[in-house]
Amino acid sequence: SYLLAVDKATGDELWKAERPSRTSWASPAVTSIGGRAVVLASGGGTLTAHDAATGKELAALDGLVGNTIPSPTAAGDLVVVGAGENRMKPDPAASARSNCCVRLAATGGGFAFERVWDGKKAISHHASPLVHKGHAYFVTKAGFVHCVELKTGEERYAERLGHECWATPVGAGDHVYFFGKDGLTT
């Protein structure tokens, strides 16, 4: 398992960061912390942050459950992690806690993830969490949406869409769009 950066113009390898083997279908996400570009990678129970210029691991957060499909979502120095249920060892409470928000904070000479809030009920089976207008949205594959306050994790509402939803929602203007497996957009 590794994280790879390539030059988009030439395809040349810029760096390759070896990683412990972890199950993950999540795409890396890039954000900027204090003017420094950081790559976030989620999978196999761990969230890591890497220096985008070198690939060096800056911080790691272990103890997550089911974070193999949703990609992390960055909002400034906040990172919202999505996670589904662990089918091999079901633990709904641990899965819900893994749908969380952390802060990537500078410490002394490095970085560390600090928990801002843990999820209570929200689960993101396949869709990555959406951050839009100060809220985080989590949707289950069955189409149940949880909207929480980004800074506190306080639930604003929970609602059933009426159709399965595996795709990541999109926020535009004053609306959030959910794309159903059946082709219906809510």
Side-chain angles (χ1 to χ4, degrees):
S1 183
Y2 58 87
L3 195 60
L4 178 70
V6 296
D7 183 301
K8 67 181 178 182
T10 66
D12 292 338
E13 181 179 308
L14 298 175
W15 53 259
K16 182 177 181 180
E18 298 292 334
R19 303 179 48 181
S21 186
R22 295 184 177 109
T23 301
S24 179
W25 293 276
S27 298
V30 179
T31 190
S32 179
I33 306 295
R36 182 180 197 168
V38 176
V39 178
L40 302 166
S42 185
T46 302
L47 172 68
T48 56
H50 299 262
D51 185 308
T54 66
K56 178 183 176 208
E57 185 176 297
L58 302 172
L61 174 68
D62 294 317
L64 300 172
V65 173
N67 66 320
T68 57
I69 299 174
S71 298
T73 303
D77 65 343
L78 297 179
V79 179
V80 179
V81 179
E85 296 169 333
N86 182 340
R87 294 180 308 166
M88 305 305 272
K89 296 179 185 177
D91 183 345
S95 294
R97 280 191 309 275
S98 294
N99 286 273
C100 61
C101 181
V102 297
R103 176 175 284 110
L104 182 57
T107 61
F111 290 88
F113 285 113
E114 300 171 349
R115 286 208 179 245
V116 176
W117 49 261
D118 289 336
K120 295 174 182 63
K121 297 178 186 174
I123 299 285
S124 282
H125 290 104
H126 300 311
S128 300
L130 168 68
V131 173
H132 185 63
K133 294 200 169 211
H135 295 89
Y137 297 85
F138 299 87
V139 61
T140 70
K141 65 184 176 186
F144 200 84
V145 177
H146 287 271
C147 172
V148 300
E149 173 77 28
L150 176 61
K151 292 184 179 177
T152 65
E154 181 181 329
E155 187 168 276
R156 293 294 179 217
Y157 67 85
E159 184 176 313
R160 185 169 301 282
L161 294 173
H163 52 84
E164 293 183 9
C165 188
W166 290 22
T168 299
V170 173
D174 291 333
H175 297 87
V176 174
Y177 298 90
F178 298 93
F179 307 99
K181 192 174 174 193
D182 58 3
L184 180 66
T185 298
T186 303

